[in-house]
mmCIF file with all atom_site columns, all heavy atoms in Angstrom:
data_model
loop_
_atom_site.group_PDB
_atom_site.id
_atom_site.type_symbol
_atom_site.label_atom_id
_atom_site.label_alt_id
_atom_site.label_comp_id
_atom_site.label_asym_id
_atom_site.label_entity_id
_atom_site.label_seq_id
_atom_site.pdbx_PDB_ins_code
_atom_site.Cartn_x
_atom_site.Cartn_y
_atom_site.Cartn_z
_atom_site.occupancy
_atom_site.B_iso_or_equiv
_atom_site.pdbx_formal_charge
_atom_site.auth_seq_id
_atom_site.auth_comp_id
_atom_site.auth_asym_id
_atom_site.auth_atom_id
_atom_site.pdbx_PDB_model_num
ATOM 1   N N   . GLN A 1 86  ? -7.584  13.644 -1.706  1.00 91.00 ? 1324 GLN A N   1
ATOM 2   C CA  . GLN A 1 86  ? -7.269  14.918 -1.311  1.00 91.00 ? 1324 GLN A CA  1
ATOM 3   C C   . GLN A 1 86  ? -8.447  15.590 -0.716  1.00 91.00 ? 1324 GLN A C   1
ATOM 4   O O   . GLN A 1 86  ? -9.629  15.361 -1.094  1.00 91.00 ? 1324 GLN A O   1
ATOM 5   C CB  . GLN A 1 86  ? -6.817  15.764 -2.484  1.00 91.00 ? 1324 GLN A CB  1
ATOM 6   C CG  . GLN A 1 86  ? -5.537  15.196 -3.248  1.00 91.00 ? 1324 GLN A CG  1
ATOM 7   C CD  . GLN A 1 86  ? -4.282  15.564 -2.448  1.00 91.00 ? 1324 GLN A CD  1
ATOM 8   O OE1 . GLN A 1 86  ? -3.897  16.625 -2.312  1.00 91.00 ? 1324 GLN A OE1 1
ATOM 9   N NE2 . GLN A 1 86  ? -3.608  14.461 -1.994  1.00 91.00 ? 1324 GLN A NE2 1
ATOM 10  N N   . LEU A 1 105 ? -20.684 20.391 -9.847  1.00 93.00 ? 1343 LEU A N   1
ATOM 11  C CA  . LEU A 1 105 ? -19.790 19.297 -9.741  1.00 93.00 ? 1343 LEU A CA  1
ATOM 12  C C   . LEU A 1 105 ? -20.449 18.046 -9.257  1.00 93.00 ? 1343 LEU A C   1
ATOM 13  O O   . LEU A 1 105 ? -20.218 16.849 -9.584  1.00 93.00 ? 1343 LEU A O   1
ATOM 14  C CB  . LEU A 1 105 ? -18.532 19.554 -9.058  1.00 93.00 ? 1343 LEU A CB  1
ATOM 15  C CG  . LEU A 1 105 ? -17.533 20.702 -9.687  1.00 93.00 ? 1343 LEU A CG  1
ATOM 16  C CD1 . LEU A 1 105 ? -16.515 20.990 -8.657  1.00 93.00 ? 1343 LEU A CD1 1
ATOM 17  C CD2 . LEU A 1 105 ? -17.107 20.195 -10.917 1.00 93.00 ? 1343 LEU A CD2 1
ATOM 18  N N   . ALA A 1 156 ? -28.827 2.898  6.596   1.00 94.00 ? 1394 ALA A N   1
ATOM 19  C CA  . ALA A 1 156 ? -28.248 1.639  6.253   1.00 94.00 ? 1394 ALA A CA  1
ATOM 20  C C   . ALA A 1 156 ? -29.275 0.674  5.411   1.00 94.00 ? 1394 ALA A C   1
ATOM 21  O O   . ALA A 1 156 ? -28.979 0.065  4.565   1.00 94.00 ? 1394 ALA A O   1
ATOM 22  C CB  . ALA A 1 156 ? -27.798 0.841  7.443   1.00 94.00 ? 1394 ALA A CB  1
ATOM 23  N N   . GLY A 1 195 ? -24.238 21.468 17.367  1.00 85.00 ? 1433 GLY A N   1
ATOM 24  C CA  . GLY A 1 195 ? -23.939 21.699 15.984  1.00 85.00 ? 1433 GLY A CA  1
ATOM 25  C C   . GLY A 1 195 ? -22.993 20.805 15.305  1.00 85.00 ? 1433 GLY A C   1
ATOM 26  O O   . GLY A 1 195 ? -23.179 20.301 14.306  1.00 85.00 ? 1433 GLY A O   1
ATOM 27  N N   . VAL A 1 265 ? -9.734  28.807 -5.614  1.00 92.00 ? 1503 VAL A N   1
ATOM 28  C CA  . VAL A 1 265 ? -10.255 30.201 -5.206  1.00 92.00 ? 1503 VAL A CA  1
ATOM 29  C C   . VAL A 1 265 ? -10.891 30.827 -6.287  1.00 92.00 ? 1503 VAL A C   1
ATOM 30  O O   . VAL A 1 265 ? -10.371 30.821 -7.465  1.00 92.00 ? 1503 VAL A O   1
ATOM 31  C CB  . VAL A 1 265 ? -9.088  31.062 -4.711  1.00 92.00 ? 1503 VAL A CB  1
ATOM 32  C CG1 . VAL A 1 265 ? -9.609  32.301 -4.184  1.00 92.00 ? 1503 VAL A CG1 1
ATOM 33  C CG2 . VAL A 1 265 ? -8.198  30.275 -3.677  1.00 92.00 ? 1503 VAL A CG2 1
ATOM 34  N N   . LYS A 1 279 ? 1.579   25.887 -1.430  1.00 90.00 ? 1517 LYS A N   1
ATOM 35  C CA  . LYS A 1 279 ? 2.125   26.507 -2.549  1.00 90.00 ? 1517 LYS A CA  1
ATOM 36  C C   . LYS A 1 279 ? 1.510   27.961 -2.768  1.00 90.00 ? 1517 LYS A C   1
ATOM 37  O O   . LYS A 1 279 ? 1.825   28.624 -3.750  1.00 90.00 ? 1517 LYS A O   1
ATOM 38  C CB  . LYS A 1 279 ? 1.983   25.641 -3.746  1.00 90.00 ? 1517 LYS A CB  1
ATOM 39  C CG  . LYS A 1 279 ? 2.699   24.316 -3.669  1.00 90.00 ? 1517 LYS A CG  1
ATOM 40  C CD  . LYS A 1 279 ? 4.225   24.469 -3.604  1.00 90.00 ? 1517 LYS A CD  1
ATOM 41  C CE  . LYS A 1 279 ? 4.863   23.067 -3.433  1.00 90.00 ? 1517 LYS A CE  1
ATOM 42  N NZ  . LYS A 1 279 ? 4.601   22.204 -4.606  1.00 90.00 ? 1517 LYS A NZ  1
ATOM 43  N N   . ALA A 1 377 ? -44.304 9.428  14.037  1.00 90.00 ? 1615 ALA A N   1
ATOM 44  C CA  . ALA A 1 377 ? -45.738 9.733  14.250  1.00 90.00 ? 1615 ALA A CA  1
ATOM 45  C C   . ALA A 1 377 ? -45.928 9.500  15.835  1.00 90.00 ? 1615 ALA A C   1
ATOM 46  O O   . ALA A 1 377 ? -46.775 10.347 16.435  1.00 90.00 ? 1615 ALA A O   1
ATOM 47  C CB  . ALA A 1 377 ? -46.554 8.836  13.512  1.00 90.00 ? 1615 ALA A CB  1
ATOM 48  N N   . LEU A 1 383 ? -48.276 16.629 14.737  1.00 78.00 ? 1621 LEU A N   1
ATOM 49  C CA  . LEU A 1 383 ? -49.106 15.778 13.803  1.00 78.00 ? 1621 LEU A CA  1
ATOM 50  C C   . LEU A 1 383 ? -49.888 14.674 14.340  1.00 78.00 ? 1621 LEU A C   1
ATOM 51  O O   . LEU A 1 383 ? -50.879 14.298 13.805  1.00 78.00 ? 1621 LEU A O   1
ATOM 52  C CB  . LEU A 1 383 ? -48.017 15.160 12.759  1.00 78.00 ? 1621 LEU A CB  1
ATOM 53  C CG  . LEU A 1 383 ? -47.591 16.012 11.643  1.00 78.00 ? 1621 LEU A CG  1
ATOM 54  C CD1 . LEU A 1 383 ? -46.517 15.281 10.802  1.00 78.00 ? 1621 LEU A CD1 1
ATOM 55  C CD2 . LEU A 1 383 ? -48.757 16.427 10.686  1.00 78.00 ? 1621 LEU A CD2 1
ATOM 56  N N   . LEU A 1 418 ? -74.508 23.252 12.229  1.00 93.00 ? 1656 LEU A N   1
ATOM 57  C CA  . LEU A 1 418 ? -73.504 22.343 12.762  1.00 93.00 ? 1656 LEU A CA  1
ATOM 58  C C   . LEU A 1 418 ? -72.840 21.496 11.738  1.00 93.00 ? 1656 LEU A C   1
ATOM 59  O O   . LEU A 1 418 ? -71.566 21.262 11.736  1.00 93.00 ? 1656 LEU A O   1
ATOM 60  C CB  . LEU A 1 418 ? -74.256 21.414 13.743  1.00 93.00 ? 1656 LEU A CB  1
ATOM 61  C CG  . LEU A 1 418 ? -73.431 20.165 14.354  1.00 93.00 ? 1656 LEU A CG  1
ATOM 62  C CD1 . LEU A 1 418 ? -72.185 20.717 15.094  1.00 93.00 ? 1656 LEU A CD1 1
ATOM 63  C CD2 . LEU A 1 418 ? -74.358 19.305 15.196  1.00 93.00 ? 1656 LEU A CD2 1
ATOM 64  N N   . THR A 1 429 ? -58.574 21.884 9.485   1.00 92.00 ? 1667 THR A N   1
ATOM 65  C CA  . THR A 1 429 ? -57.489 21.322 10.377  1.00 92.00 ? 1667 THR A CA  1
ATOM 66  C C   . THR A 1 429 ? -56.461 20.510 9.583   1.00 92.00 ? 1667 THR A C   1
ATOM 67  O O   . THR A 1 429 ? -55.320 20.459 9.834   1.00 92.00 ? 1667 THR A O   1
ATOM 68  C CB  . THR A 1 429 ? -58.126 20.499 11.411  1.00 92.00 ? 1667 THR A CB  1
ATOM 69  O OG1 . THR A 1 429 ? -59.080 19.590 10.848  1.00 92.00 ? 1667 THR A OG1 1
ATOM 70  C CG2 . THR A 1 429 ? -58.921 21.298 12.433  1.00 92.00 ? 1667 THR A CG2 1
ATOM 71  N N   . THR A 1 526 ? -49.655 29.456 4.318   1.00 90.00 ? 1764 THR A N   1
ATOM 72  C CA  . THR A 1 526 ? -50.743 29.824 5.330   1.00 90.00 ? 1764 THR A CA  1
ATOM 73  C C   . THR A 1 526 ? -51.670 30.920 4.775   1.00 90.00 ? 1764 THR A C   1
ATOM 74  O O   . THR A 1 526 ? -52.757 31.119 5.349   1.00 90.00 ? 1764 THR A O   1
ATOM 75  C CB  . THR A 1 526 ? -50.106 30.237 6.624   1.00 90.00 ? 1764 THR A CB  1
ATOM 76  O OG1 . THR A 1 526 ? -49.079 31.264 6.468   1.00 90.00 ? 1764 THR A OG1 1
ATOM 77  C CG2 . THR A 1 526 ? -49.400 29.046 7.375   1.00 90.00 ? 1764 THR A CG2 1
ATOM 78  N N   . TYR A 1 569 ? -73.581 15.062 3.988   1.00 92.00 ? 1807 TYR A N   1
ATOM 79  C CA  . TYR A 1 569 ? -74.038 15.174 5.483   1.00 92.00 ? 1807 TYR A CA  1
ATOM 80  C C   . TYR A 1 569 ? -75.512 15.210 5.504   1.00 92.00 ? 1807 TYR A C   1
ATOM 81  O O   . TYR A 1 569 ? -76.216 14.559 6.305   1.00 92.00 ? 1807 TYR A O   1
ATOM 82  C CB  . TYR A 1 569 ? -73.381 16.408 6.070   1.00 92.00 ? 1807 TYR A CB  1
ATOM 83  C CG  . TYR A 1 569 ? -72.070 16.167 6.539   1.00 92.00 ? 1807 TYR A CG  1
ATOM 84  C CD1 . TYR A 1 569 ? -71.092 17.236 6.660   1.00 92.00 ? 1807 TYR A CD1 1
ATOM 85  C CD2 . TYR A 1 569 ? -71.457 14.947 7.000   1.00 92.00 ? 1807 TYR A CD2 1
ATOM 86  C CE1 . TYR A 1 569 ? -69.836 17.092 7.150   1.00 92.00 ? 1807 TYR A CE1 1
ATOM 87  C CE2 . TYR A 1 569 ? -70.280 14.724 7.433   1.00 92.00 ? 1807 TYR A CE2 1
ATOM 88  C CZ  . TYR A 1 569 ? -69.385 15.857 7.548   1.00 92.00 ? 1807 TYR A CZ  1
ATOM 89  O OH  . TYR A 1 569 ? -68.071 15.633 7.947   1.00 92.00 ? 1807 TYR A OH  1
ATOM 90  N N   . TYR A 1 629 ? -48.665 14.952 -6.064  1.00 95.00 ? 1867 TYR A N   1
ATOM 91  C CA  . TYR A 1 629 ? -47.362 14.249 -6.516  1.00 95.00 ? 1867 TYR A CA  1
ATOM 92  C C   . TYR A 1 629 ? -46.752 14.944 -7.697  1.00 95.00 ? 1867 TYR A C   1
ATOM 93  O O   . TYR A 1 629 ? -45.402 15.037 -7.665  1.00 95.00 ? 1867 TYR A O   1
ATOM 94  C CB  . TYR A 1 629 ? -47.732 12.770 -6.903  1.00 95.00 ? 1867 TYR A CB  1
ATOM 95  C CG  . TYR A 1 629 ? -46.453 12.079 -7.436  1.00 95.00 ? 1867 TYR A CG  1
ATOM 96  C CD1 . TYR A 1 629 ? -45.501 11.615 -6.609  1.00 95.00 ? 1867 TYR A CD1 1
ATOM 97  C CD2 . TYR A 1 629 ? -46.408 11.945 -8.786  1.00 95.00 ? 1867 TYR A CD2 1
ATOM 98  C CE1 . TYR A 1 629 ? -44.375 10.964 -7.180  1.00 95.00 ? 1867 TYR A CE1 1
ATOM 99  C CE2 . TYR A 1 629 ? -45.404 11.241 -9.407  1.00 95.00 ? 1867 TYR A CE2 1
ATOM 100 C CZ  . TYR A 1 629 ? -44.336 10.775 -8.579  1.00 95.00 ? 1867 TYR A CZ  1
ATOM 101 O OH  . TYR A 1 629 ? -43.344 10.102 -9.114  1.00 95.00 ? 1867 TYR A OH  1
#
Side-chain angles (χ1 to χ4, degrees):
Q1324 300 283 293
L1343 294 176
V1503 186
K1517 300 293 179 61
L1621 277 175
L1656 170 63
T1667 52
T1764 51
Y1807 278 152
Y1867 173 76

